[in-house]
Every structure is written in structure tokens, then in C-alpha cells.
Amino acid sequence: MSSSIQTLDYDVLVIGAGLAGLSCGVRLTDRGLRVGVLESSDVAGGRARSWADAKTGDTVDIGPHVILNKYANMLGLLQRLGTRHHIQWETRKLLTVLDKGRRIPIQQWRLPPPFHGARNLLRMLPTVPLHVMASNLRVAWDAMTRTETEMLALDGISARHHLESMGVHRDFIDWFWASASIALLNVPVEQCSAAALMRVFAQMIGHNDAAFGFPKVGLSDLYVPQAIDIIERGGGQVMLACGADQLQWRDGRVTGVRTHRGRVLHARACVLAAPPSAAARLLPGEAPARMAAARMQPSPYVSTYLWFDRRITRERFWARPWSPREFNTDFYDLTNIRSGGNGPRDTDGARNAAGSVIAANLIWSHRAFDVSDDEIVAATLRELTDFTPDAAQARLLSASVHRIPMAVPCPYPGTERQRPETQAVPGLYLAGDWTHTGLPSCMEGATRSGALAAEAVLAAAGVRARIACPVPETRGLAGLLRRFWPRRTSRDGSAPAGVGRTSAP
Ligand SMILES: Cc1cc2nc3c(=O)[nH]c(=O)nc-3n(C[C@H](O)[C@H](O)[C@H](O)COP(=O)(O)OP(=O)(O)OC[C@H]3O[C@@H](n4cnc5c(N)ncnc54)[C@H](O)[C@@H]3O)c2cc1C
């Protein structure tokens, strides 16, 4: 790549050194391009990063993250970086759910999808009557038969509205769907786009081999130094504490970036891989992507870390049904996940591997804004004791509360169809979990968006490359129905008659 207009500092400039930006930077470097990555923070990794806890010195993540074995783009990137073996896979079961004092192990049968979930339904029967469970048949059939375009036709309505219109029993919505919406999409079911929730549901019932994995090392250690090393060995640079302040334009085309330090850098192409609030500030007023970015609202989290003097569980991961009156939904015992790294210290400072380090996520954490850290720790302890009474006997050695203004952008009704495509304006490409990836906002979406942006940059230079892995096709009966069931929407994906619109809160 070369320019006849001005001297190029890099072939490509990437704004943002989160998963999306670094994924894009690595893939472009691998194709022989010199990549400059600008990062406003003094550390890379964005919302998927880790640091040394100030009191214990242990590596802690911004908040615990779960990886799926279906994350083909992310696992492909980790393979490239040589860190794929740092994932601890949960092979015995998917997870344990604590419901009304009962521990329910969620496991899959190796039956063709969607029958693999039957075992879990049988386990729920004591608490969920058969007719309540059966009220989901219509919505399951509907989700299995929709294509991506037909899913998007549901974007204007809330997931609760859709479930009710499909006849799902109110008790099941309050118990299962309310928790699924919070855990998978980080917003209450009343405020979640039906398209977003049904798309994830279709994936859940369309695969009988899903497994959860957890990083055995800090999140940053999984990809940040390795990605920076590849980019810099390829002649590029990752510039920390060097945010993009303004895009540079010539003849209606983006030609570079002015940094917060006032330096102007030029490149043949730029990739904007910043979160929506930052993207909205940089994109031009008339660009549809700017309006989409400006509409996105954050879903905040509080992640709490607790260090105990003794082992309080042998589990890796468990969850509680969501309730607006309680705090945490998902819990992790890092001592059963990390490879010897984490564990509280004895009074002499030595690592005490016999103790538990617990991490928990409070999702959609608005209700904790005015609650003190001490109160959050006390509530987390109470909720932990519900699962493992041993926690009441253990001594709490240390605690940390991380308040995170945005874990993901909220998939409110109407936002799914607005997620922008990779090509934003001439010379500028978009990446980030909030862009149109066919996935919820998550690490896989971020990594895929970076790969899609790399493909688009190369295509503009006349190089055809297949870098991004597609969203997995559903399988079994679910897969057959999706492919062969008669289509129901117009080709542009507009909503079928009777599907109204509700506005985002
Ligand atoms: C507590 C928590 C739990 C989560 N749990 C999961 C999970 O279990 N599974 C999962 O898959 N995902 C999870 N996620 C979501 C996942 O972390 C994100 O989807 C993903 O990291 C987003 O990556 P990104 O690169 O799109 O954005 P970011 O990580 O936000 O990266 C964007 C980068 O751009 C930088 N930037 C901003 N403005 C500028 C500017 N003007 N110039 C230069 N740089 C700029 C930012 O500093 C940042 O480094 C979780 C997130 C959080 C916070």
C-alpha cells in the first residue's frame, strides 16, 4: 500500500486497543501491513483486561469472563497468539444453578438439537409444573425456524412482549427468561430486544456440544502482550495513553487521525475500534453509524472479589436466578480455575493455595450505585453462603469491589437493526462488540468485528482474504428447520403484520 497524496505513517491506523482493535491489528500485521494502534488509556485490553489487585497482589480481571467453545474467532486468535491452552474448560457440566436452595446441575445429552436439553427440563420438573414448561414449545419452534433476517424483524418489540404473545407462562418468564436475559444480554427481559434474546436462544437450542471455559490466567495475559508483540515485530506500534481526538479528512475520505497530544498521523485506512460513546464523538454528524453509536446505552456491572482463609467450594462456576431485589447472578471460585496463581496469602505473605478466591458479577447494577462497597461485600457474602454454607465459617481476608460503567451496550428494542456494518465512511472501518456481528456484544463479537474490519481493509486494497469465522450454523432438527422451513418475512426483513414497536427506555 502507498499513497500519492501524503506521507503515510502506517498502512493502517487502529483506534482502540481492546479485543476488537488488537484482533484487527494482528490479522493485518499477518498480511504484511504496518499497523499503528492508538489507545487512549495507559493500558491496553479495554473491557477485557486484568490487573494486580492493590491489596493482595493477585491478578484480578475487570470482572470474571466466560468463554464459549463456540467462540471460533476468539479461539482462533488465541491459537495464533499461542495462549489457547490457557483456557480451563468445564467438561463435567455446563454450570450449576442454585434455585430456592436446590442445586441444579445443567447438563446436555448428546441427542440431536434441540432434544439435548431434555435432561435439564426433567430436573426442573419438581419446581416447574409440566404445563408451565410446555408453554415454551411455540416460542422454541419459532426461534428454531427464523433466519437471521427474520430474527431482526423482532427487534422492535421487547423480549417479554414476544414471549407473552407466544403464550409463554408468566411464571416461566419471571423465573427462566428474566435470568437468561440478564445473564446473556445484560438487560432485564422487559427492556431487551426480542431479536437479541431469540437469536441467542436459537443458538442455545441449536447446539448440543456447548461448553464454558474460563481463563486460567488474567484476561490481559491471554492476549494483550502477545498481540502487541506481533504488531510491533511487524513494524507497527501500539501507542498507549495516545487517544484519537479527531479524524483527518481529504476529499470526503478519512486519511488519518489527530491524537490527544496534537500529533497528526496518516494512513491509507483507519479502523475505529472504540466503544460507542467514543465512536459517537469521532464519527461525522451525518453518518448513520454515529447516530447508532449515540443511541447505545451502557449496561453497568459491579464485580466483587473475596479472599478467604480456606477452601469453601470445589465448584468452578455457579449461578442464581436473577432478582431485582438481590445482587449477584454468577459466581466463580478462581482457586479451582487458575493454574496455581491465585490464592490468598498467609500472614507471612506466602501463597495459601488452600483458600478460596471468589469472584461474582452484579449485572445491570443501577441498584448498587448508592450502595457502599462494604454493603456490596456483605450482600455478596450472604448470597455466597446460600450456595456454600462453609463461607459463613471461613475468615474473609480481603475484598475488592470493581464498579464498571459499561460492560456491554444495552440491546434495547430497536438497537439490533441499527448496529452498524464494518464500512462506515470512505477510508474508515468500524469494529467493536457493538457493531453488526450477528452476535451479542461479547468477546467473540469483538474479535469477529476486528477480523471483519481486517477483511474490509484488505478488500479495499484489492486483497481478498477470508479471516472472520461465521456465526455457527444451528444443527440437528433445529438446523434443518432453520434451513427448510417456509420463510415468513419480506426480503428486507421488515416485521410481519401485527408486530408493533416499543421504544427503548
Ligand atoms: C465485567 C465484565 C464481564 C464481561 N463478561 C463477559 C463474558 O463473560 N463473556 C464475554 O464474551 N464477554 C464479556 N464481557 C464483554 C467483553 O469484555 C466485551 O464485549 C469486549 O471486551 C469488548 O471489546 P471491544 O474491543 O469491542 O471494546 P473495548 O474493550 O471497550 O475496547 C475499546 C478500546 O478503545 C479505547 N478507546 C476509547 N476511546 C478512544 C480514543 N478516542 N482513542 C483511542 N482509544 C480509545 C478504550 O480505552 C478501549 O481500550 C464482559 C465485560 C465486562 C466489563
Side-chain angles (χ1 to χ4, degrees):
M1 282 189 175
S2 66
S3 169
S4 55
I5 308 171
Q6 59 226 130
T7 316
L8 297 182
D9 299 284
Y10 299 96
D11 294 318
V12 182
L13 273 171
V14 177
I15 302 167
L19 248 179
L22 291 177
S23 142
C24 182
V26 166
R27 296 313 188 185
L28 290 172
T29 305
D30 283 346
R31 299 302 191 282
L33 301 189
R34 251 170 43 86
V35 181
V37 183
L38 298 169
E39 169 55 53
S40 56
S41 165
D42 52 9
V43 287
R47 282 172 280 146
R49 69 176 194 280
S50 50
W51 56 78
D53 177 69
K55 285 177 260 173
T56 63
D58 273 346
T59 301
V60 287
D61 297 334
I62 183 171
H65 277 57
V66 179
I67 292 164
L68 266 164
N69 60 345
K70 300 287 164 191
Y71 279 13
N73 290 279
M74 181 167 179
L75 294 174
L77 179 68
L78 299 188
Q79 181 77 26
R80 167 69 185 95
L81 303 178
T83 57
R84 192 171 166 150
H85 62 285
H86 286 319
I87 306 293
Q88 172 76 61
W89 294 105
E90 180 67 278
T91 47
R92 291 163 299 163
K93 56 180 181 271
L94 262 182
L95 76 158
T96 304
V97 173
L98 181 74
D99 183 39
K100 300 186 191 93
R102 213 161 65 93
R103 288 182 182 209
I104 309 176
I106 305 293
Q107 281 165 320
Q108 310 173 90
W109 267 334
R110 279 301 173 115
L111 290 175
F115 305 109
H116 60 288
R119 186 177 187 173
N120 301 318
L121 298 181
L122 292 176
R123 287 205 170 114
M124 288 170 198
L125 268 180
T127 39
V128 184
L130 193 58
H131 73 281
V132 172
M133 211 178 280
S135 71
N136 288 281
L137 285 176
R138 195 169 147 220
V139 78
W141 182 270
D142 184 79
M144 282 189 290
T145 56
R146 279 181 190 270
T147 60
E148 169 66 9
T149 309
E150 290 166 347
M151 282 294 177
L152 285 179
L154 295 175
D155 188 36
I157 55 171
S158 78
R160 179 177 279 278
H161 178 102
H162 177 63
L163 293 164
E164 283 173 355
S165 71
M166 287 273 144
V168 180
H169 198 286
R170 182 173 286 267
D171 291 350
F172 205 87
I173 298 178
D174 293 340
W175 178 72
F176 173 80
W177 288 104
S179 298
S181 181
I182 281 287
L184 302 169
L185 289 146
N186 299 179
V187 287
V189 67
E190 294 74 22
Q191 293 167 49
C192 185
S193 153
L197 189 57
M198 289 304 113
R199 184 201 275 144
V200 182
F201 179 51
Q203 286 289 329
M204 279 167 56
I205 56 178
H207 295 275
N208 61 2
D209 58 350
F212 289 140
F214 316 95
K216 289 192 253 181
V217 295
L219 267 175
S220 299
D221 303 327
L222 209 50
Y223 71 103
V224 173
Q226 300 83 352
I228 293 178
D229 187 52
I230 287 174
I231 292 167
E232 300 201 335
R233 276 169 189 260
Q237 205 183 350
V238 177
M239 293 159 267
L240 301 177
C242 186
D245 190 35
Q246 213 174 58
L247 298 173
Q248 301 296 294
W249 297 80
R250 181 175 287 199
D251 302 330
R253 188 183 167 81
V254 175
T255 57
V257 172
R258 194 183 73 195
T259 71
H260 286 138
R261 300 176 190 163
R263 196 170 155 211
V264 175
L265 297 168
H266 286 110
R268 169 72 68 177
C270 294
V271 176
L272 178 49
S277 55
R281 280 194 297 275
L282 287 164
L283 285 163
E286 68 283 4
R290 195 201 79 87
M291 289 184 266
R295 261 198 90 188
M296 301 255 170
Q297 301 291 318
S299 175
Y301 265 49
V302 175
S303 299
T304 303
Y305 286 80
L306 304 176
W307 283 257
F308 290 96
D309 67 336
R310 68 197 73 169
R311 190 68 72 91
I312 57 171
T313 166
R314 299 276 158 194
E315 295 275 345
R316 293 192 179 119
F317 173 43
W318 65 98
R320 299 157 58 95
W322 186 68
S323 155
R325 288 171 298 283
E326 297 183 16
F327 273 17
N328 300 281
T329 46
D330 43 321
F331 290 77
Y332 308 75
D333 190 333
L334 299 181
T335 329
N336 302 329
I337 294 173
R338 297 270 168 100
S339 30
N342 274 40
R345 289 171 195 273
D346 290 332
T347 38
D348 62 359
R351 188 78 64 188
N352 168 15
S356 279
V357 184
I358 301 291
N361 277 326
L362 194 182
I363 305 175
W364 184 255
S365 60
H366 305 80
R367 62 197 181 285
F369 281 172
D370 297 325
V371 179
S372 71
D373 284 5
D374 286 349
E375 288 170 299
I376 290 175
V377 168
T380 307
L381 267 173
R382 270 197 310 278
E383 292 172 356
L384 183 60
T385 310
D386 289 347
F387 184 78
T388 167
D390 288 354
Q393 266 71 57
R395 195 156 64 87
L396 182 67
L397 300 176
S398 187
S400 273
V401 174
H402 303 171
R403 293 176 188 263
I404 303 142
M406 179 178 83
V408 293
C410 296
Y412 288 148
T415 53
E416 276 302 305
R417 291 181 86 158
Q418 291 184 349
R419 289 171 72 180
E421 301 293 338
T422 308
Q423 172 83 66
V425 289
L428 182 71
Y429 304 86
L430 290 179
D433 61 350
W434 61 284
T435 60
H436 182 206
T437 60
L439 295 161
S441 291
C442 63
M443 293 188 287
E444 171 67 357
T447 318
R448 179 161 201 267
S449 73
L452 288 170
E455 274 179 12
V457 167
L458 292 165
V463 179
R464 284 177 60 134
R466 195 62 200 277
I467 300 174
C469 302
V471 177
E473 293 281 350
T474 50
R475 299 202 196 132
L477 175 65
L480 289 174
L481 283 172
R482 178 170 256 213
R483 274 184 280 289
F484 297 118
W485 193 247
R487 306 276 66 100
R488 76 196 88 194
T489 45
S490 62
R491 297 189 78 182
D492 67 353
S494 54
V499 174
R501 284 193 168 263
T502 53
S503 53

